Amino acid sequence: MTSNHTDCHYCLQSLRGRKYALREENAYCVTCYDSLFANPCEECKQPIECDSKDLAYKGRHWHEGCFKCAKCNRSLVEKPFAAKDELLLCTECYSDEYSSKCFHCQKTIMPGSRKMEFKGSSWHESCFVCQYCRQPLGTKPLITKDNENYCVPCFEKQFAHHCYSCKKVITSGGVTYHDQPWHKECFVCAGCKTQLSGQRFISKDEYPYCVDCFSKLYAKKCAACKKPITALGGAKFISFEERQWHGECFNCMKCSVSLVGQGFLTRQDDVLCHECGSA
């Protein structure tokens, strides 16, 4: 520019009729201004003179004509670009060299677009969706099955088991009884409500019972010791005329010899070995 400024602030030569540049309200001749303040071009290393356009990026400067893709040399002026290892690249060259491929569509994830990362793979945001409802998953909780991703509600609707007792989803563990899934905490004795997971139990009319409750409610009583006969673990018992005995309790009433597998006699409610019964 030209003006009525008298002298260059640095060399003190007259600026009358000459171009000059202002900096902090001081006037400099073009030569002084360029030598004092011009930024060196990142590409050609020459100063970017005051009458040239100075393009800056992250503290570095280029002549307009030097602002090019480091690989294909196409101008980057007013075009999107990416930086890699201090090199400037057009989006096409950057994509060819460095961009990830979307796990779903296998197309390049272009610089500047949002990228989702999951289990070591990259996805376009628009490709990272629930396999069932097709809604974006973003950062929502998800479940993977057979390499497909599902939002939690869709996974539960499609695949999750529901507890036979409370009808709620079983998210982990669980117990199978009569081919039906149960939460461990829901699989309880029909009598005392004690949890049966990992415990011995007896089934009656499709309901599970702990051994104690089943014995109290349903087991027959031994005619000798009056305790319940549960037959758990394959234990033997003897039945005769609507009476039952534990195998170890089926003994002669008088001499206590075991009658299991032996002939015996009865006298009223007593069972006797042949010797005692004949005496």
Side-chain angles (χ1 to χ4, degrees):
M1 66 177 66
T2 60
S3 114
N4 295 322
H5 280 82
T6 307
D7 300 321
C8 171
H9 184 72
Y10 185 74
C11 70
L12 303 180
Q13 291 187 20
S14 174
L15 297 176
R16 193 174 301 277
R18 300 172 60 190
K19 287 185 178 181
Y20 71 95
L22 285 175
R23 185 179 179 89
E24 297 178 354
E25 298 185 358
N26 294 317
Y28 297 84
C29 66
V30 172
T31 303
C32 289
Y33 184 90
D34 290 341
S35 64
L36 292 172
F37 305 116
N39 295 304
C41 175
E42 194 73 23
E43 176 65 22
C44 70
K45 311 305 180 187
Q46 298 300 312
I48 304 173
E49 299 170 339
C50 64
D51 57 352
S52 298
K53 194 170 184 178
D54 185 333
L55 300 180
Y57 175 71
K58 289 188 175 181
R60 296 186 294 160
H61 301 263
W62 288 262
H63 290 104
E64 186 175 13
C66 294
F67 196 61
K68 300 177 181 179
C69 172
K71 185 175 180 183
C72 69
N73 283 326
R74 283 185 293 182
S75 175
L76 299 177
V77 177
E78 296 183 358
K79 293 181 181 178
F81 63 91
K84 180 69 175 178
D85 299 329
E86 297 191 353
L87 296 177
L88 301 185
L89 300 169
C90 63
T91 53
E92 290 82 359
C93 290
Y94 183 89
S95 298
D96 291 342
E97 291 289 324
Y98 305 108
S99 289
S100 304
K101 298 286 193 249
C102 175
F103 182 84
H104 177 72
C105 69
Q106 295 303 308
K107 295 181 180 179
T108 298
I109 302 175
M110 299 297 288
S113 61
R114 191 172 182 189
K115 178 173 68 173
M116 310 303 296
E117 297 280 350
F118 180 66
K119 289 188 175 181
S121 297
S122 301
W123 308 65
H124 289 113
E125 185 178 22
S126 58
C127 292
F128 194 58
V129 298
C130 170
Q131 179 65 19
Y132 185 73
C133 69
R134 311 308 297 176
Q135 293 300 307
L137 290 169
T139 57
K140 297 177 184 176
L142 61 92
I143 301 174
T144 300
K145 179 178 173 62
D146 299 330
N147 290 325
E148 300 289 357
N149 301 319
Y150 298 85
C151 64
V152 173
C154 285
F155 181 87
E156 291 179 350
K157 185 186 299 182
Q158 292 294 107
F159 304 109
H161 295 295
H162 290 75
C163 176
Y164 182 78
S165 175
C166 71
K167 311 306 179 186
K168 294 180 180 179
V169 171
I170 300 173
T171 57
S172 63
V175 176
T176 299
Y177 172 68
H178 281 188
D179 296 326
Q180 297 292 345
W182 302 61
H183 289 115
K184 287 183 178 181
E185 58 271 21
C186 292
F187 188 62
V188 298
C189 171
C192 66
K193 307 305 179 184
T194 300
Q195 287 191 23
L196 297 176
S197 178
Q199 307 298 320
R200 292 200 303 177
F201 65 90
I202 302 171
S203 180
K204 172 70 173 175
D205 299 329
E206 297 188 358
Y207 291 99
Y209 292 85
C210 66
V211 175
D212 288 342
C213 284
F214 183 85
S215 299
K216 292 175 183 177
L217 294 172
Y218 300 109
K220 296 182 181 299
K221 303 294 191 296
C222 174
C225 71
K226 309 306 180 184
K227 294 180 180 179
I229 300 173
T230 62
L232 285 173
K236 293 181 178 180
F237 69 96
I238 292 86
S239 179
F240 177 70
E241 292 183 350
E242 298 184 357
R243 291 188 292 166
Q244 290 80 29
W245 291 261
H246 293 110
E248 62 273 18
C249 294
F250 192 57
N251 302 322
C252 175
M253 185 64 181
K254 293 186 69 174
C255 68
S256 298
V257 68
S258 174
L259 298 178
V260 177
Q262 306 297 320
F264 62 90
L265 301 172
T266 60
R267 182 181 297 165
Q268 295 180 351
D269 291 338
D270 296 335
V271 289
L272 303 166
C273 65
H274 279 292
E275 185 176 342
C276 292
S278 300

